[in-house]
Amino acid sequence: MATNASGLFTTPTVPSVRGKIKPSIRIFGSGFRSPDGISKRVFCSSTFEGAEKHVGASPSESRAPRLVSKGCKLIGCGSAVPSLKISNDDLAKVVDTNDEWISVRTGIRNRRILSGKESLTTLAVEAALKALEMAEVDVDDVDLILMCTSSPDDLFGSAPQVQKALGCKRNPLAYDITAACSGFVMGLVSAACHIRGGGFKNVLVIGADALSRFVDWTDRGTCILFGDAAGAVLVQACDSEDDSLLAFDLHSDGDGNRHLNAAFKESETDELGSNGSVLGFPPRRASFSCLQMNGKEVFRFAVRVVPQSIEAALAKAGVPASSIDWLLLHQANQRILDGVSSRMQIPSEQVISNLANYGNTSAASIPLALDEAVRSGKVKPGHTIAAAGFGAGLTWGSTIFRWG
């Protein structure tokens, strides 16, 4: 048996069965569905049961290999935050605001900001090592690293640097996922796809952002919201009957980009000078603008689409809302958390929130809150969690999973 470029197993000696066997399943976005309409959590895998016996066999002796489905389970988590803590009172010294104004409107009292020799990569590595330690998985057993961030240390992505800093000797694939505050949910789904369809066993999903780099610290409407952090989980392959990543629901709407963005812009001055060259060349030096947000529109967007997305994911999973142990939302604003939980009729004591201590940490917020809840004993193995991310893009998505 050989492998192709994607890692999937190939069996050259097995004759084609295309057109000879009618498909018994239809493919849907969240997996597969049988003709009778009953959802089946069965996914492609790179493991073919019994295929080894037929390599080199004659056409009369060979048979088409059967795909053995794989499940996913979340078995370890970790987080890291910068050492510098900025309180609302500290912010009041640099912008026209105060603790009461911020806490009443957002629920935020403190946030952590990168400083000194700290970097997003060092935070991501610290969170990843803690997740691996909890999962009891060696660094060299990691097959894939997904770095969910919109503020990498390098324009071309930070994932390979995280891989290097972790000391992975087998050079596993590592790449960035850019989806802002929805990034971690997108990362979980991507991990599941790699495990179920690509044969990967241990996938590190890291959510890390340092939006303090793109905040206008003179704008009290946005600077009060954001902090820096990293969180990570280890997603591991398991037998299909032990699958813990039950369903997902993902969306995007580029029309909403005008409400939340940090757009690319050219410098207003022509630093290079044209020197009589072609008009418009060389291009002017460029950078990204500070984060721009229409808070009211983002609030309306979140409280409308997040409950819909979670309900859709629950329906795909075949799980009633009453069986949810915890609601874990992107930590953007306490009013959003309250609005979503109210619409879904989920009691506040079942809503995980650490917003007061860290503010909006973008892609890090869900794994950071999850890690604190797990380590405090609040979230226990077997608990069912409905998680949802939402933000710039606009993007949003939810997933239903069992911890441990």
Side-chain angles (χ1 to χ4, degrees), residues 208-228:
D209 264 313
L211 293 187
S212 63
R213 298 167 170 171
F214 301 99
V215 166
D216 178 355
W217 291 99
T218 66
D219 177 12
R220 74 171 186 171
T222 57
C223 74
I224 63 173
L225 300 173
F226 296 97
D228 306 333

Side-chain angles (χ1 to χ4, degrees), residues 54-297:
H54 300 280
V55 175
S58 66
S60 61
E61 296 174 336
S62 62
R63 61 180 173 82
R66 180 169 66 86
L67 290 175
V68 177
S69 62
K70 284 292 182 182
C72 304
K73 56 183 179 180
L74 286 70
I75 62 170
C77 58
S79 61
V81 297
S83 57
L84 178 62
K85 179 191 290 187
I86 301 296
S87 68
N88 290 345
D89 290 332
D90 292 328
L91 275 181
K93 298 175 183 178
V94 297
V95 69
D96 182 18
T97 190
N98 58 67
D99 176 69
E100 181 182 7
W101 192 91
I102 298 172
S103 59
V104 168
R105 287 164 176 77
T106 68
I108 300 169
R109 293 190 177 277
N110 297 287
R111 70 283 296 146
R112 299 296 185 97
I113 303 298
L114 283 176
S115 63
K117 295 182 179 180
E118 295 173 328
S119 70
L120 195 68
T121 299
T122 59
L123 288 184
V125 170
E126 182 181 345
L129 288 173
K130 290 178 180 178
L132 289 170
E133 181 181 18
M134 181 184 290
E136 298 182 347
V137 171
D138 189 83
V139 168
D140 287 325
D141 290 326
V142 173
D143 304 301
L144 174 66
I145 299 170
L146 301 176
M147 177 75 165
C148 308
T149 183
S150 295
S151 51
D153 288 333
D154 189 287
L155 175 65
F156 300 122
S158 289
Q161 292 304 306
V162 171
Q163 179 234 63
K164 174 187 175 182
L166 285 172
C168 301
K169 297 176 182 177
R170 297 191 298 111
N171 296 326
L173 173 63
Y175 65 89
D176 286 33
I177 294 176
T178 303
C181 304
S182 304
F184 182 75
V185 172
M186 309 300 179
L188 278 184
V189 175
S190 297
C193 291
H194 279 289
I195 289 172
R196 289 165 173 159
F200 291 81
K201 184 177 180 181
N202 292 304
V203 181
L204 262 176
V205 182
I206 305 170
D209 264 313
L211 293 187
S212 63
R213 298 167 170 171
F214 301 99
V215 166
D216 178 355
W217 291 99
T218 66
D219 177 12
R220 74 171 186 171
T222 57
C223 74
I224 63 173
L225 300 173
F226 296 97
D228 306 333
V233 299
L234 194 285
V235 184
Q236 188 174 77
C238 64
D239 292 335
S240 58
E241 57 266 28
D242 297 323
D243 186 27
S244 297
L245 188 54
L246 307 181
F248 58 88
D249 179 75
L250 306 174
H251 300 275
S252 62
D253 177 11
D255 187 55
N257 173 260
R258 65 187 187 278
H259 299 311
L260 180 54
N261 63 77
F264 174 85
K265 67 174 184 178
E266 289 187 336
S267 172
E268 295 181 359
T269 60
D270 190 355
E271 298 176 2
L272 298 177
S274 62
N275 294 324
S277 62
V278 177
L279 184 64
F281 182 85
R284 294 177 177 177
R285 189 181 300 276
S287 63
F288 292 98
S289 69
C290 288
L291 193 150
Q292 307 291 319
M293 183 175 68
N294 183 327
K296 291 182 179 180
E297 289 299 326

Side-chain angles (χ1 to χ4, degrees), residues 16-77:
S16 173
V17 294
R18 186 182 298 276
K20 296 181 181 180
I21 300 176
K22 294 182 178 180
S24 60
I25 52 178
R26 290 177 290 158
I27 299 175
F28 279 66
S30 60
F32 292 89
R33 189 175 294 272
S34 61
D36 58 9
I38 300 175
S39 177
K40 308 288 186 183
R41 283 196 299 276
V42 181
F43 295 82
C44 291
S45 170
S46 63
T47 304
F48 290 155
E49 185 178 282
E52 299 89 347
K53 302 176 183 177
H54 300 280
V55 175
S58 66
S60 61
E61 296 174 336
S62 62
R63 61 180 173 82
R66 180 169 66 86
L67 290 175
V68 177
S69 62
K70 284 292 182 182
C72 304
K73 56 183 179 180
L74 286 70
I75 62 170
C77 58

